[in-house]
Structures are given as C-alpha cells and as structure tokens.
Amino acid sequence: MKNEAIVIIGGGHAAAQMCAGLAEAGAGSRTTLVCGEPMLPYQRPPLSKGFLKKMEEIAQLHRAEAWYADAGITVRLGEPAVRIDRERQVVGLRNGDEIAYGQLVLATGGRARLLADLPAGLANVATLRSAGDAQALRAQLNAFDSFTVVGGGFIGLEFAATARGLGKRVTVVESAPRLLARAVSPELSAHVLQVHRDAGIEIHLQARIDGFELADAGEDPGGNAGRLAAIVLDGARHPVDLLLLGIGALPETALAEAAGLECDNGIVVDEFMVTSDPAILAVGDCTSFPDIAGGRRLRLESVQNANDQARTAVATLTGARRPHNAVPWFWSEQGSLRLQMAGLPPAHAERHRRPGAKADSFSVFHYADGVLHCVESVNAPLDHMMARKLLEAGKSPEATQACDPAVPLKSLL
Ligand SMILES: Cc1cc2nc3c(=O)[nH]c(=O)nc-3n(C[C@H](O)[C@H](O)[C@H](O)COP(=O)(O)OP(=O)(O)OC[C@H]3O[C@@H](n4cnc5c(N)ncnc54)[C@H](O)[C@@H]3O)c2cc1C
C-alpha cells in the first residue's frame, strides 16, 4: 500500500466499514473521514423500525468516538465536502478547509426522491433517510392520529407497519399495480398486501394523485413553510395530517458529477470500486457497479452491498485487488413480516414456493434456465441463510427438491 493520505467522504454504512477495514490494515493514521451529518456513522435500518416506537431510543453508532481516536482516524463531523479538485488532489469542505488526498473514497449514499409537483419545505411532509429525519418523524407520530404514505416500497411499508402498530390510521398510496413492485415477486407482493390489509392499513394500488391542497401558510403554528391540507386521490379529497414520501432514493452524485467523474444512475465504478479517476474510489448506495455474473450494471441500496463494496475498496487500496462479486442480500421488517431476499430475481423467472416451518412462513425460489438466481423468504430466517449458502456455493438444486419441505436445504449444499 502506498503511504499516502486516504480521505473518505460519507458517514454511512460504507464509510464505517471503510474505516474498520483501513484500521485493521494499519492505515488508520492516514485516514480522514469527512462526514456531512453532525454525528458519527450510525445504523440506518432501525430508523424506519424500532427507533420510531420509543422516544428514548438513540441512533446506534457503528463505533464509539474513542474507537476512531484509537485507530488514529481523523473525523470531521458536520462539515460536508463541497468540492473535489482532482488536479490538486484536495477536497474542499463547506467551511473553506481543504484536505489533501492521495486516494479519495466517495461513500455519499443516496437522498430521498421528492415529488416534483409538491412544494418543498411543507411542515407536515416528511422523508426518511437520516437520524434527524427519524427523530422529527417520531415526534410527529406522537402528535397525529393519521398518516398517509406515498409509495409502497420498503421504507414506506416499514413506516406504515410501525405507525399501524402504534394504533394510528394509515393509508398507503402506490401508483404501481402491486406493492414492492421493483424489488420482489408478484407472489410476495400479494402476501405483503394481504398482511398489511389484515392489519388495518388502507392500501390504494394503481392510485393517482391528481393534486395537492395547501393550507394557508399563515395557519401553520410552527413556522411559515405552510402545510399540506389534503391530496386529491383518484379524484377524491383525502385529508392529510402527515404525509411521508417513500418513493425511493436517488444516488448522491453531485460532488462526483461536478468533479467530472463518470456517472450514470450512480458513480460509475469498475469491479475494484475504482471510478473513472484512478485516484478516486466509490462505494455503497451511490455507485453503479458491474454485476460480473449478470453482465449488466447495478445500483443496490442495502447494508450488505455497502459493507461488501467497502471491503473490496479496502482490498484495492491495500494492494490486494479482489473483484467485487458478492451475492446480494437484503431484509425488511414490516409488522409481523420478516422479509429476506438472497440473490437478484432474473427478468424471466420460473418461481417455485417452498412452505416454511410455520403457517406464516414460506420461500419463493426463482429459477431461469434451470439455474437458481434468487430466494425470497417470509418469516423463514433459516431458509434464507441456507439459500445464501446455496447461491454463494453456486449450487442449483432441482426445484422439486429445493421446494420439498421434507428435504432440508442444508442437505442440498
Ligand atoms: C430508513 C432506512 C431503513 C433502511 N432499512 C434497511 C434494511 O432494513 N436493510 C437493508 O439492507 N438496508 C436498509 N436500508 C438501506 C441502507 O441503510 C443503505 O443501503 C445503506 O445505509 C447505504 O450505505 P451508504 O454508506 O452507501 O450510504 P448512507 O448510509 O446513506 O450514507 C451516506 C452518508 O454520506 C453523507 N454524505 C453525503 N454527501 C456528503 C458530502 N458531500 N460530504 C460529507 N458527507 C456526505 C450522508 O450525510 C450520509 O451520512 C435502509 C435505509 C433507510 C434510509
């Protein structure tokens, strides 16, 4: 490894894993972490789950302040990077400071997608990405009785299930014909829909928002941003106490684009996480990376992907070049549902269902040309673990065997 300064711009899961890997490789004292948020890297998944239920719950840090100090890592909190000068190899911070780098790592994550027709800054319209967002949302969960969620994706449904579990009235508005349409099979979508409807969540599919009715800014007791009074949903007025936008995330590529790095639905990296500038790497939600097995480019938003890409980037920086080729996996918790996905669903899959050990558990196995690509599990954590092992080992058992509950998946490894 060359003896030069490493600067990480980020402060999420990927950045935290970079710090851990570089410290382990003995490079902590050459590492600076530039974190836009005012706190050390923390766990994001609980923010749409347990964190919302308890006022006293605090964000869980990956590592305490003392760990960074012991590892020799310099941490700059609450000062986002605003500029990359590739010629001089320096990063400019918002307060005007400059930090020189030999190698730079972009771990800038994503930001919540917004609705173009909805004015920004309305007091009762929220997004959920950071601990600050979750804290604000938690306070509003206590203040209101009814919640409208736009978007039937993971974050929207996790929030909806949490709010419903607290006894709130919840409406989910989804423009697609099914929930989680971009991420899971129709079988899983149908099951998730049924469970949430049974729990009392009102769900509108193929819904159309025809307009927004704003309250007079002067009526807002908390400030002057104004409030959303109602949405026009499929032609009918639907009053709004609080609206959460859960319509996906966009990769945070502004810095990279301004610096002239190649971006295409994410910062373009190769299998070693190197961008179009050999001195700059990128990891996590902000990247568009090559899927070696699938021969396409991907952008994934998951903790596993952020961690695995960070491990690959550390290997690149320490000279142990190892291409990124991890089996992706993801989880989501929505009320009584624990969903776990291993692998990626192929475009045209043959799907087979394996019953789980309990009445409310099952897995869906996705095959293409007889090859196992993906397994979705509902309340079946052991089957998920075994499915990951099968995929990692490149095993493709016959669907008749894999979906026979009498055959333990372990025996197919
Ligand atoms: C509410 C919520 C729940 C989730 N639940 C799950 C789950 O159950 N399972 C799962 O696998 N995944 C889940 N995810 C997704 C997962 O958290 C992300 O995939 C993961 O956090 C990606 O890590 P990252 O480091 O790439 O980006 P992030 O964690 O988003 O971190 C990016 C960081 O970069 C900082 N940053 C951006 N620009 C700058 C700049 N210019 N200067 C300095 N800092 C900057 C941001 O402030 C942020 O702190 C969830 C995400 C959210 C928001």
Side-chain angles (χ1 to χ4, degrees), residues 9-15 34-37 42 44-49 79-82 107-110 128-130 155 158 252 255 283-286 300-304 306 329-333:
I9 302 178
H13 285 262
V34 175
C35 206
E37 292 184 62
Y42 54 87
R44 243 166 254 276
L47 300 181
S48 47
K49 309 175 182 81
E79 271 308 330
V82 292
T108 48
L128 179 49
R129 185 80 213 169
S130 66
I155 289 181
E158 288 184 359
E252 189 58 78
L255 262 184
V283 286
D285 281 16
C286 64
L300 296 179
E301 293 165 19
S302 76
V303 167
Q304 169 273 333
W329 54 269
F330 185 81
W331 82 95
S332 172
E333 286 159 34

Side-chain angles (χ1 to χ4, degrees), residues 149-229:
V149 178
V150 177
F154 287 113
I155 289 181
L157 292 177
E158 288 184 359
F159 172 79
T162 303
R164 185 67 201 136
L166 293 170
K168 308 294 177 178
R169 274 182 290 122
V170 183
T171 305
V172 174
V173 176
E174 168 58 57
S175 61
R178 60 186 180 91
L179 297 175
L180 299 170
R182 282 188 304 130
V184 307
S185 64
E187 288 85 343
L188 197 53
S189 291
H191 183 74
V192 170
L193 177 68
Q194 194 58 52
V195 169
H196 288 319
R197 281 192 171 151
D198 288 349
I201 299 175
E202 186 180 319
I203 299 180
H204 298 250
L205 297 176
Q206 286 182 293
R208 212 184 52 238
I209 298 181
D210 297 317
F212 301 99
E213 186 189 310
L214 301 187
D216 194 355
E219 289 173 22
D220 175 25
N224 51 19
R227 298 180 68 82
L228 180 65

